[in-house]
Amino acid sequence: VGLCVVGVGVGSAQAPPPTVTVTISESSLVVGATGALAAGPTRFEVVSSDDSAGEVSIGALRPGVTLDAFTAALRSNPNDAIEMAHLDGGASLAEGQASRAVTLDLRASSTYVAINLAGENPADWEVVSFTTSDQSNGASAPQADARVGIFDLRFRGAKRLPRNGVVRFQNNGWAPHFVLAAPLRRGAKQRAVARALLLNAERPLGRLLDFRNSIEAQSLITRDAVNYNELRFPKRGRHVLVCFFEGHNTQGMFRFVRVR
């Protein structure tokens, strides 16, 4: 009987997500995918080749959208391009940060784009495409140390986040969002921080929040996206999660948490 139980356990075990390396610099983007990737949880490790700050966004083109059409929209009006893809996530590297990883649940039979968001000019953003097959990779998503849900213009879920761990983000709302995690300065009152965020008051926010030690905990994601971010916070203590995309902070999209 014991052997039978062990056999069932081994047979039902799922593999960890395969890793795809994405190498970026200020002027280049290389996705280490040869051929179509199998659908399912896939870990993307973003690596900086020159220690510069950078950000990569990854998403699947929506049905009927071509790579040329998406790239043209991105060059002319990035907000239009957002509506043309399921942006599942990505990773932002601070200057001097060697790597960072995020796990995405890849859709089957899709064309994906990886976008190097280096620089202020969308015309300079490099786009690299890859595809997925109709096969599943049989992997399971990583174990999350905490979960954060996005419901329209509000955050829900964990009020304590690991300083070094995996946080599951899910966008259940209608709008795209990103999540900045900023430490509160010593003595800063939550009421004062909330007021400054609602007013989008730059100077008070600079006095109340330590933006030098903030991280982009979640890159821009669209509705129904789920991902697993491997986060490492520079500091412990009180933080605020906030979405500044299209002024969502002025509509109350922030949440106070503690990083331990």
Side-chain angles (χ1 to χ4, degrees):
V1 175
L3 289 176
C4 180
V5 172
V6 171
V8 171
V10 172
S12 61
Q14 289 184 301
T19 295
V20 175
T21 301
V22 179
T23 306
I24 62 171
S25 70
E26 289 186 350
S27 58
S28 66
L29 170 65
V30 177
V31 178
T34 56
L37 297 175
T42 303
R43 182 177 180 268
F44 289 86
E45 184 174 12
V46 179
V47 177
S48 174
S49 63
D50 58 4
D51 290 332
S52 61
E55 182 177 357
V56 171
S57 184
I58 300 172
L61 297 182
R62 296 186 183 275
V65 176
T66 66
L67 178 61
D68 287 344
F70 174 83
T71 303
L74 186 71
R75 301 275 188 258
S76 60
N77 189 340
N79 285 338
D80 288 344
I82 290 173
E83 300 300 322
M84 300 170 71
H86 300 279
L87 295 180
D88 291 323
S92 176
L93 297 179
E95 187 171 350
Q97 184 178 8
S99 66
R100 181 172 164 186
V102 59
T103 297
L104 312 178
D105 191 3
L106 297 184
R107 296 170 172 84
S109 303
S110 298
T111 297
Y112 273 79
V113 289
I115 311 157
N116 185 354
L117 300 173
E120 299 292 333
N121 186 0
D124 297 330
W125 292 348
E126 189 173 359
V127 180
V128 172
S129 67
F130 61 94
T131 60
T132 57
S133 69
D134 60 357
Q135 302 297 309
S136 171
N137 61 21
S140 58
Q143 183 71 33
D145 299 302
R147 294 172 177 243
V148 174
I150 299 171
F151 295 83
D152 295 330
L153 295 174
R154 294 294 182 269
F155 293 111
R156 298 287 186 265
K159 289 190 175 182
R160 289 182 174 85
L161 301 180
R163 185 176 185 183
N164 185 11
V166 177
V167 179
R168 180 186 188 272
F169 287 90
Q170 180 170 1
N171 185 358
N172 296 290
W174 51 270
H177 299 288
F178 72 88
V179 184
L180 183 76
L184 273 64
R185 295 189 185 277
R186 181 176 297 180
K189 304 297 184 183
Q190 288 189 11
R191 179 180 295 182
V193 174
R195 176 177 173 80
L197 286 170
L198 289 170
L199 295 174
N200 203 33
E202 184 174 342
R203 288 187 178 179
L205 286 174
R207 293 193 299 268
L208 296 166
L209 299 178
D210 180 9
F211 285 110
R212 287 186 60 185
N213 285 300
S214 66
I215 64 170
E216 189 173 274
Q218 172 61 64
S219 63
L220 192 69
I221 55 173
T222 51
R223 59 187 179 273
D224 299 326
V226 179
N227 59 54
Y228 296 78
N229 268 274
E230 298 175 26
L231 299 182
R232 179 170 295 179
F233 289 88
K235 297 177 66 174
R236 304 181 192 273
R238 297 182 302 154
H239 284 63
V240 62
L241 305 181
V242 56
C243 176
F244 285 106
F245 183 71
E246 294 190 339
H248 289 168
N249 56 297
T250 65
Q251 300 177 66
M253 193 168 184
F254 50 84
R255 181 178 178 86
F256 294 98
V257 299
R258 187 169 290 275
V259 173
R260 295 184 180 275

